[in-house]
Amino acid sequence: MTTTTATTATTAHTGVGRHALTDSWTMTRRELAHWARQPVQMLVGLVFPVMLLLMFGYLIGGGRGVTGDYLDYLVPGMLALTMAFGLEGTMLAVTQDLNKGVIDRFRSMPMANGAVLVGRSVADMLQSAVGLAVLMAVALALGWRAHGGPAAFLGAVGLLLLFRFAMLWIGIHLAMLAGRPELLTAVQILVWPVGFLSNALATPASMPDWLGTVVDWNPMSHTATAVRHLFGTPGAEAPHLWTAIAWPLALLAVFFPLAVRRFARLSK
């Protein structure tokens, strides 16, 4: 009797998990369909990091305290910066779904709770991967090269996407707290200090001591430093690979359950 009950519970649990995956993939395809209807928004998201790379690399310049070619130092930093920016598309989609009654319609269907958020996050991660590929292709055309091996290269890409995933769930949670699309501008401003108070564009050694300390504590700085190390960037800061993994995981441990809990409350 006990064995039969355990088997039934296991089967039910497996069915729920498969149902959640199916619903999440359905919501992912919904978000991907938006790309075909709104290609301009996606193109702007891909072009903006390229413009920043060209602007800082050739127009504004920089690289105080950088040893060697500034482009070698700048490209990993720009890749990390790109993972912090561009959250507004996902944040806007979440608030629009909440305000247009889309969530209410999904709620009336036999759909796993949170599948909407998971589908949106998967679509964002796919777009982020495309964005990384485009920016790397432009950087290669400009003369940048990754000096590490294939394993190190894949590790660097993995760290960048992990950081993006953490930033994404912070954005989803803040979007649901904002509640309305018109309030997102104020929330998006919070991303800029995270991006520019980092070592993406210059070394902390070239900054005032107090500012360098702030930059050293920025999670994005840890990602950028680890990525430079994996790419074999000459003259990069000493890496702390474990902190580049620990920071995003810690942020996910906080904001992922907060976002899911907030969504569950809004769905009642």
Side-chain angles (χ1 to χ4, degrees):
M1 185 70 176
T2 304
T3 303
T4 303
T5 303
T7 303
T8 303
T10 302
T11 303
H13 181 73
T14 303
V16 171
R18 187 181 298 111
H19 180 59
L21 289 175
T22 302
D23 290 345
S24 298
W25 176 239
T26 299
M27 291 297 99
T28 300
R29 288 192 289 112
R30 169 181 175 258
E31 298 299 336
L32 294 178
H34 290 169
W35 292 5
R37 294 194 296 268
Q38 300 173 345
V40 175
Q41 182 178 344
M42 182 180 180
L43 289 176
V44 169
L46 296 177
V47 171
F48 181 68
V50 174
M51 292 176 59
L52 286 180
L53 175 62
L54 296 175
M55 181 175 65
F56 284 106
Y58 294 99
L59 295 180
I60 297 178
R64 289 186 304 157
V66 174
T67 302
D69 188 357
Y70 181 50
L71 187 65
D72 283 339
Y73 186 91
L74 177 64
V75 170
M78 286 302 308
L79 293 173
L81 198 64
T82 301
M83 296 297 95
F85 286 176
L87 296 172
E88 58 272 9
T90 291
M91 296 169 71
L92 180 62
V94 170
T95 55
Q96 286 178 338
D97 282 349
L98 290 172
N99 285 273
K100 290 182 178 181
V102 176
I103 301 300
D104 292 332
R105 293 197 294 272
F106 288 147
R107 192 186 309 156
S108 64
M109 302 168 62
M111 180 178 295
N113 189 32
V116 176
L117 297 184
V118 173
R120 180 62 232 182
S121 66
V122 172
D124 185 286
M125 292 301 295
L126 291 174
Q127 183 173 356
S128 299
V130 173
L132 280 180
V134 170
L135 191 57
M136 285 183 182
V138 173
L140 288 171
L142 296 176
W144 170 78
R145 295 293 183 271
H147 304 289
F153 181 87
L154 293 176
V157 172
L159 285 179
L160 290 166
L161 292 177
L162 177 62
F163 179 68
R164 175 63 176 193
F165 195 58
M167 292 297 296
L168 174 62
W169 282 97
I170 295 175
I172 290 174
H173 178 62
L174 293 178
M176 287 188 291
L177 287 179
R180 297 195 303 274
E182 58 269 21
L183 296 179
L184 289 183
T185 301
V187 176
Q188 291 167 10
I189 293 175
L190 299 175
V191 178
W192 289 86
V194 175
F196 289 109
L197 288 178
S198 70
N199 64 358
L201 307 175
T203 64
S206 66
M207 305 173 186
D209 290 341
W210 67 269
L211 184 58
T213 301
V214 173
V215 167
D216 283 335
W217 276 95
N218 189 334
M220 199 184 84
S221 294
H222 291 269
T223 295
T225 300
V227 169
R228 288 190 181 105
H229 171 70
L230 291 172
F231 282 156
T233 302
E237 301 95 339
H240 299 285
L241 293 177
W242 71 269
T243 57
I245 299 173
W247 262 118
L249 291 180
L251 293 173
L252 277 171
V254 173
F255 286 97
F256 181 83
L258 284 177
V260 173
R261 189 178 303 121
R262 180 73 179 177
F263 181 80
R265 290 175 180 173
L266 293 174
S267 299
K268 291 180 179 179

